[in-house]
Amino acid sequence: MRIPTWTEDELVLAGALVVRNGWRELRTTNRAVHELSELLRSLPIHSPEARALPSFRSPDSVSRKTADFMTNHSSHSGKATRCGKLTLLTIDAFTTREAEMLQAARAIEEGIGSGDLHAIPPQPDEVDEAGHTAIEGRLLVRRALARERDPRLRSLKIEQVRRRGSTLKCEVCDFDFARVYGALGEGYIEVHHVTPLHVSGARETSLDDLACLCANCHRMCHRSRPGESWRTPTVLREQIRKSIQTPAH
């Protein structure tokens, strides 16, 4: 059985280690490398058979990955090691969004340490139709989707909208399920965290942290593409406006 390629979550953790070390690689003997090796071997991403392989995310392999981050960074003047596109995208993410990526790493570390991320089953849509997952980590997407699908939270958000006398419709495109589908669509909407949970932190979700979205806009807010993992409803609304103004030929 071959060692699985590095996933987003693993690369986020390795990248954070390098950034905290001043964009320098860490040797196999470094204690932090051994601690990360143990953490990676515990992540609920790969199969138990893969994680049981002696060389799976060994200290040697972790050290080599930190070398990839160092040598492929723009500040490095020497020869770059060969690495995959996802590693390069993660390096770019840490370079352009360092604080946010370090927050993502901390969220993964805390979630694994508390057992929270182990307890959440895989969620539909955590991997898109092209096989992409969020560059900040699949486990964080999994947790966000699970929270957004909490029926109690959704009911409370709908109740809040109605108390304010507002129409229950998509906050991005104004789609109204009841107007289009009649009784079938009455009371239906999806909820979305305006700010990703790894950015907002592990605090209790406020109803004002949630937006009501139609299924299409919800999917577009979560849709991953290389180097971009999520977008707020405000950003998506602006993308729609620009798309309407400049139609494709």
Side-chain angles (χ1 to χ4, degrees):
M1 184 176 184
R2 297 184 63 179
I3 301 294
T5 56
W6 286 64
T7 64
E8 290 89 340
D9 302 79
E10 295 170 313
L11 290 171
V12 168
L13 295 173
L17 197 61
V18 176
V19 171
R20 292 165 185 159
N21 197 44
W23 281 100
R24 298 187 301 272
E25 70 175 306
L26 292 89
R27 301 293 185 184
T28 301
T29 54
N30 191 294
R31 180 179 176 182
V33 168
H34 284 261
E35 290 175 348
L36 180 55
S37 172
E38 292 178 8
L39 180 61
L40 295 179
R41 292 175 69 89
S42 75
L43 290 182
I45 299 175
H46 301 291
S47 69
E49 293 78 14
R51 287 186 279 148
L53 295 172
S55 57
F56 174 77
R57 304 304 181 254
S58 65
D60 280 341
S61 69
V62 171
S63 177
R64 285 195 299 273
K65 184 52 68 177
T66 68
D68 287 341
F69 273 85
M70 181 189 75
T71 63
N72 285 276
H73 187 254
S74 57
S75 65
H76 184 70
S77 58
K79 184 178 180 181
T81 58
R82 293 184 62 183
C83 62
K85 182 179 180 180
L86 188 53
T87 299
L88 295 175
L89 288 171
T90 309
I91 291 170
D92 182 65
F94 270 105
T95 302
T96 57
R97 301 185 281 125
E98 180 178 305
E100 183 185 323
M101 294 299 292
L102 288 174
Q103 282 181 307
R106 282 192 291 271
I108 295 172
E109 291 163 349
E110 291 169 2
I112 293 297
S114 67
D116 173 43
L117 295 180
H118 281 95
I120 303 170
Q123 298 291 308
D125 300 339
E126 70 179 46
V127 179
D128 74 11
E129 68 280 355
H132 297 133
T133 56
I135 202 165
E136 288 85 359
R138 179 186 302 183
L139 296 178
L140 299 184
V141 172
R142 183 177 295 179
R143 181 170 66 183
L145 290 170
R147 291 273 290 277
E148 289 174 355
R149 289 177 173 128
D150 179 350
R152 185 185 65 87
L153 204 60
R154 178 177 164 275
S155 295
L156 289 172
K157 181 63 181 178
I158 290 174
E159 183 182 333
Q160 180 196 56
V161 172
R162 286 176 166 162
R163 278 202 316 269
R164 291 174 174 174
S166 302
T167 301
L168 191 64
K169 61 182 181 180
C170 178
E171 294 179 29
V172 171
C173 71
D174 291 332
F175 186 87
D176 184 333
F177 284 89
R179 188 179 64 192
V180 175
Y181 297 109
L184 178 64
E186 183 66 38
Y188 183 80
I189 202 76
E190 297 185 8
V191 299
H192 173 70
H193 283 91
V194 175
T195 305
L197 294 178
H198 71 267
V199 175
S200 63
R203 63 184 172 82
E204 185 173 346
T205 299
S206 162
L207 294 181
D208 289 330
D209 294 331
L210 302 171
C212 291
L213 302 180
C214 69
N216 284 345
C217 289
H218 194 188
R219 181 70 179 266
M220 290 298 102
C221 279
H222 273 295
R223 191 175 189 219
S224 297
R225 57 184 179 181
E228 184 183 357
S229 305
W230 59 274
R231 53 210 55 82
T232 65
T234 300
V235 168
L236 185 62
R237 194 181 305 114
E238 180 63 15
Q239 286 187 225
I240 292 175
R241 186 188 67 80
K242 289 179 179 178
S243 178
I244 292 173
Q245 288 180 344
T246 55
H249 296 291

